[in-house]
Amino acid sequence: MKIACLIKQVPDTETRIRIKPDRSGIEESDIKYIVSPYCEFAVEEALRVKEKAGGGEATVISLGPDRVVEAIRTALAMGIDKGIHIDSEGKSFDSYATAVVLANVLRDRGFDMILCGKQAIDGDNGQVGPMIAELLDIPQVMIIERLELTADKKGVTATRRVAGGGKEVYEISFPALFGCEKGLNVPRYASLPGIMKAKTKPIEKLKSSDLLNGALPLVQWANYQLPPERMAGKKIEGDLAYQAHELVRLLREEAKVI
Amino acid sequence: MTNQTRSYFTEEHEIFRKSVRSFVEKELYPHQQEWEKSRSVPKEIFKKLGEQGFLGITLPEKYGGSGCDYWYKVAFAEEMTHCRMNGFTMDVMVHTDMTTPVINRLGTEAQKEEVLIPAIKGEKICALGITEPGGGSDVAHLRTTARKDGDDYIINGAKTFITNGSRADYILLAVRTGPPVTAETFQSAHTGVSFIIFPTHNEKGEKTPGFSVGRKLEKMGNHSSDTAELSFQDCRIPTKYLLGEENKGFYYVMNNFQGERLIASIMACAGMKLMLEDSIKYGRERQAFGKPIITFQVWRHRLAQLFTELEAAQELTYRACDLFNRDIPCVKEISMAKLLTSELVNKVAAECVQLHGGYGYIEEYDICRVYRDVRLLTIGAGTSEIMREIIAKETGL
Ligand SMILES: Cc1cc2nc3c(=O)[nH]c(=O)nc-3n(C[C@H](O)[C@H](O)[C@H](O)COP(=O)(O)OP(=O)(O)OC[C@H]3O[C@@H](n4cnc5c(N)ncnc54)[C@H](O)[C@@H]3O)c2cc1C
């Protein structure tokens, strides 16, 4: 069985984000990066499927600048067999351009299963997975919280979480793409022996410019802004009638929401 | 002050660092309150650390270690501070930096087979038994005796303040194998000290007869640490447990202190960084006279001063790490790092409590615990006075 997992490196949620002077994006120097948590579920699931299938090969793929090699190595340290790094060559990619590049890498490599996060926690768009499936013309199920290999190992039963605690259960045969949700598994930590072993695992280097086939991003970023700082709360004291009156007045005159 | 900008650390070190952090945040920190309160951490946690390869970072692969350079150890120690349990962290460092490395350096194959392999897995826990009720700084004149009797040593005496003491499987015990300390032998007493790997249980799993763990010591801080008083009464231990050569123990102990002092310096720096970050976060939120306290120039300047001193202490520590990693003699640098960082961490903790105001005195805020915990650092692993003695000697004064 051949499994691909797609991972994205994103700013750590603890990092203080600053905007570039030209407002085209965020300042990337001095940021601490992590693997997007939903992508970590994808890596872990790839390892579990491989273990359950009793063999196979798992490849981790990431598009981005050189720094994403660290994320790829981390996945290799967790147990993934090989990596592919697609250099973004200093360019910004929207969901569509990302999907085009990744689909072109995935095509013709014979993957049975493609795993990705349900979304990356930076842009929170959740578009790349479904777009890739569309471009490759394969089925996809997003927001999965359970994945069971079928007895013949030619497909899976995937459980997708839907609003209000509902579930949808899909029986789906390979090749297919799955977007992983929290709860699917608990990712293992990269152990030190694993990190040492990962040093010698191969990472294939590709260039995004060779893989775009003329496609252009559909989104441009004109004006990035930080959300306004949260202001200190206001406490209304006094008797209940006064509090209610004052609250309505503030909502109308200060917050201007009613 | 990110670590990526320090040339000592490569990408692999950073991957390892993140892995340790995520382990610490998920497996240790959530239990912090509970373990600090119950004044102990379950023994099983050592096994979890072992599974991740954290207990044999620099030790040979042959015994289950990873054979890595010292900077992996640095990354591990720095990230461990994020469990916010100085006590438990010390328990771990006693195991990884004060006992197992010397067993690796001096031990026989049989000793490594018996002790090192399970210790790296976290199945057996090691303690270091040097300090006695009668004295800790003055190692040369320790009084616990080991008298040879056929193929055994018979051990008598007492040790105190022993970290991991109540749950250790092996205690690296400093004992007197030479003549007793008298007026005549006082000057040469250091030539009568040996290191014995004392098994607390025999091969059948029974407690070694004559060995007992005394009362639980109520400490000022480091509550999550296991600190015990130990007593040895005619304990019969096979001579195969002698580590290295007989009567060379004093040199072994002094040598072993280097790793202990260096790791203490590393953790002190990482601890300072953490408490300063916490304090800045607090100072941004806490308002007084209509503005966040962090915006008062007094605090900006004080913090700027502390960051400067921390940076200097950190680089001295990293310099000592670099020498240690390359096996270049660095007793002076390590002693300096230990002296500087342990004094500074107390100053920083005091300032951070001050910045927190009354909340700094309340247990819900971590700085309250830290302030107590760091008090140990100018005492344990050799006091500041002893550090100055060593530095004076090393400087040729
Ligand atoms: C929580 C905790 C955990 C510990 N864990 C361990 C452990 O695992 N294993 C272990 O062996 N020990 C351990 N210790 C003991 C520790 O290493 C000793 O407390 C320390 O070495 C000091 O020894 P002492 O307490 O006997 O003080 P003393 O040696 O009695 O010193 C008292 C004071 O006299 C000063 N002094 C001594 N000699 C001189 C001198 N020549 N010149 C100037 N001043 C001097 C000292 O600096 C100190 O201020 C631990 C201690 C604590 C509190």
Side-chain angles (χ1 to χ4, degrees):
Chain A
M1 171 153 3
K2 285 185 78 175
I3 308 165
C5 37
L6 314 178
I7 64 170
K8 184 175 187 187
Q9 211 181 31
V10 296
D12 189 344
T13 44
E14 276 178 23
T15 288
R16 273 171 75 84
I17 300 286
R18 286 173 302 132
I19 305 289
K20 279 189 193 161
D22 69 358
R23 302 199 166 194
S24 64
I26 62 169
E27 202 69 76
E28 294 213 352
S29 56
D30 235 27
I31 280 190
K32 193 177 151 215
Y33 283 93
I34 57 167
V35 176
S36 182
Y38 299 111
C39 301
E40 285 189 325
F41 300 135
V43 171
E44 177 63 33
E45 200 58 22
L47 296 171
R48 289 186 189 204
V49 169
K50 222 185 93 174
E51 281 157 14
K52 273 189 213 136
E57 184 185 77
T59 306
V60 58
I61 305 173
S62 189
L63 165 67
D66 274 343
R67 62 172 157 76
V68 308
V69 173
E70 186 198 306
I72 293 172
R73 284 257 181 249
T74 304
L76 298 180
M78 287 167 76
I80 299 287
D81 303 292
K82 50 195 218 178
I84 300 177
H85 169 220
I86 312 153
D87 190 348
S88 54
E89 300 166 286
K91 301 239 164 46
S92 297
F93 283 77
D94 69 347
S95 303
Y96 172 66
T98 304
V100 169
V101 167
L102 289 171
N104 285 335
V105 173
L106 291 162
R107 188 175 287 124
D108 303 330
R109 286 188 192 242
F111 288 113
D112 300 296
M113 184 188 269
I114 300 168
L115 292 159
C116 60
K118 67 162 184 174
Q119 69 202 66
I121 61 158
D122 50 359
D124 274 335
N125 292 317
Q127 297 290 308
V128 169
M131 282 182 181
I132 290 173
E134 195 59 30
L135 290 165
L136 296 177
D137 198 21
I138 61 172
Q140 52 88 6
V141 190
M142 298 303 285
I143 322 184
I144 54 155
E145 54 179 22
R146 213 176 133 84
L147 201 66
E148 282 293 332
L149 212 51
T150 54
D152 64 4
K153 298 178 185 167
K154 290 194 172 131
V156 290
T157 307
T159 308
R160 173 174 193 267
R161 193 174 58 75
V162 291
K167 289 180 198 310
E168 292 172 356
V169 180
Y170 292 79
E171 284 179 9
I172 207 161
S173 48
F174 297 143
L177 179 143
F178 303 93
C180 303
E181 164 70 318
K182 188 176 175 186
L184 179 64
N185 56 46
V186 181
R188 66 197 68 187
Y189 311 101
S191 72
L192 185 53
I195 291 168
M196 292 297 115
K197 230 184 267 166
K199 276 186 181 184
T200 55
K201 291 184 180 176
I203 298 181
E204 190 181 335
K205 296 269 180 191
L206 299 175
K207 283 194 181 132
S208 56
S209 52
D210 296 337
L211 294 156
L212 272 166
N213 291 353
L216 289 171
L218 302 177
V219 177
Q220 278 176 3
W221 294 272
N223 187 2
Y224 256 84
Q225 285 180 30
L226 287 177
E229 290 234 5
R230 208 176 337 144
M231 290 194 288
K234 208 166 247 180
K235 198 166 173 184
I236 307 169
E237 286 173 57
D239 64 47
L240 284 179
Y242 171 76
Q243 285 183 28
H245 187 267
E246 186 62 8
L247 178 62
V248 172
R249 187 187 69 77
L250 288 173
L251 286 172
R252 183 170 290 146
E253 290 173 18
E254 278 197 16
K256 298 196 166 75
V257 293
I258 55 174
Chain B
M1 203 179 66
T2 58
N3 270 313
Q4 283 101 316
T5 58
R6 303 212 196 243
S7 55
Y8 317 111
F9 299 101
T10 65
E11 184 181 282
E12 270 81 27
H13 293 114
E14 292 311 307
I15 292 173
F16 180 57
R17 177 186 293 286
K18 281 183 184 165
S19 168
V20 176
R21 172 72 75 91
S22 116
F23 178 91
V24 165
E25 283 177 349
K26 289 180 193 142
E27 307 290 333
L28 302 180
Y29 180 63
H31 305 285
Q32 185 240 12
Q33 301 263 329
E34 180 195 337
W35 291 341
E36 283 282 326
K37 269 211 191 84
S38 65
R39 313 225 152 175
S40 71
V41 174
K43 206 172 168 175
E44 292 67 50
I45 299 301
F46 275 84
K47 280 192 202 138
K48 280 197 178 181
L49 292 164
E51 280 163 21
Q52 296 305 313
F54 295 164
L55 303 180
I57 296 173
T58 54
L59 297 172
E61 286 172 64
K62 192 172 157 196
Y63 308 111
S66 293
C68 291
D69 65 46
Y70 192 72
W71 296 104
Y72 284 91
K73 182 88 84 151
V74 177
F76 173 65
E78 290 178 342
E79 295 311 314
M80 270 298 279
T81 58
H82 287 263
C83 77
R84 296 176 184 270
M85 288 181 278
N86 289 34
F88 174 62
T89 307
M90 184 172 73
D91 291 5
V92 174
M93 298 305 158
V94 164
H95 185 80
T96 56
D97 289 79
M98 309 177 198
T99 49
T100 44
V102 61
I103 295 172
N104 176 54
R105 200 158 50 237
L106 301 173
T108 61
E109 275 309 309
Q111 287 169 344
K112 293 184 194 179
E113 189 94 6
E114 180 182 336
V115 183
L116 206 52
I117 292 175
I120 290 173
K121 286 190 186 142
E123 289 166 3
K124 301 277 182 196
I125 298 179
C126 298
L128 179 66
I130 295 173
T131 306
E132 302 186 345
S137 303
D138 188 4
V139 177
H141 296 100
L142 58 84
R143 292 179 186 279
T144 298
T145 56
R147 183 170 54 81
K148 218 178 212 163
D149 181 45
D151 284 340
D152 293 330
Y153 283 111
I154 299 179
I155 299 177
N156 278 289
K159 297 283 174 183
T160 194
F161 308 146
I162 303 307
T163 304
N164 286 340
S166 77
R167 61 181 169 198
D169 299 288
Y170 295 96
I171 302 164
L172 198 48
L173 206 60
V175 292
R176 176 158 305 287
T177 39
V181 182
T182 59
E184 288 99 74
T185 62
F186 196 84
Q187 286 303 323
S188 61
H190 63 283
T191 60
V193 175
S194 297
F195 242 160
I196 285 177
I197 309 173
F198 183 91
T200 58
H201 295 80
N202 65 16
E203 276 133 25
K204 285 177 237 146
E206 299 154 351
K207 192 133 167 227
T208 303
F211 168 68
S212 61
V213 178
R215 72 200 157 92
K216 199 180 172 113
L217 300 173
E218 290 286 340
K219 301 189 292 288
M220 177 195 284
N222 269 16
H223 289 154
S224 52
S225 178
D226 164 22
T227 315
E229 218 174 29
L230 310 175
S231 132
F232 306 85
Q233 258 187 340
D234 293 325
C235 296
R236 202 170 257 280
I237 299 296
T239 50
K240 66 172 186 181
Y241 285 111
L242 174 73
L243 184 64
E245 287 175 51
E246 201 173 68
N247 295 331
K248 290 253 177 88
F250 182 77
Y251 302 100
Y252 300 153
V253 170
M254 291 301 132
N255 195 320
N256 194 43
F257 274 147
Q258 301 312 311
E260 170 171 3
R261 288 169 186 162
L262 186 53
I263 208 82
S265 311
I266 294 162
M267 313 258 316
C269 289
M272 284 188 259
K273 201 175 151 207
L274 190 59
M275 63 181 100
L276 285 168
E277 279 167 7
D278 283 353
S279 299
I280 289 172
K281 211 180 275 170
Y282 181 83
R284 281 210 177 99
E285 277 162 22
R286 180 74 177 175
Q287 305 243 344
F289 299 94
K291 50 188 194 172
I293 50 175
I294 204 77
T295 58
F296 291 113
Q297 193 181 44
V298 168
W299 279 110
R300 295 168 62 79
H301 281 196
R302 265 209 238 181
L303 289 168
Q305 181 69 32
L306 295 177
F307 272 117
T308 307
E309 290 175 33
L310 167 57
E311 184 73 23
Q314 178 76 83
E315 278 306 323
L316 171 60
T317 303
Y318 280 159
R319 166 159 164 70
C321 291
D322 178 43
L323 296 171
F324 190 74
N325 183 43
R326 290 190 283 146
D327 239 347
I328 297 171
C330 52
V331 171
K332 184 171 78 179
E333 288 78 4
I334 288 180
S335 308
M336 286 173 165
K338 162 75 167 69
L339 172 64
L340 185 64
T341 57
S342 63
E343 294 288 339
L344 184 59
V345 73
N346 275 284
K347 177 167 135 186
V348 172
E351 291 281 41
C352 289
V353 168
Q354 190 68 18
L355 187 146
H356 278 74
Y359 291 103
Y361 204 70
I362 304 297
E363 287 291 339
E364 275 145 63
Y365 285 79
D366 202 49
I367 192 64
C368 179
R369 171 193 65 81
V370 171
Y371 180 74
R372 281 196 308 265
D373 289 353
V374 298
R375 192 62 195 82
L376 174 64
L377 296 176
T378 62
I379 299 169
T383 64
S384 289
E385 291 71 28
I386 297 298
M387 290 309 106
R388 291 189 190 97
E389 273 304 305
I390 296 171
I391 296 162
K393 216 177 278 169
E394 290 284 324
T395 314
L397 289 174

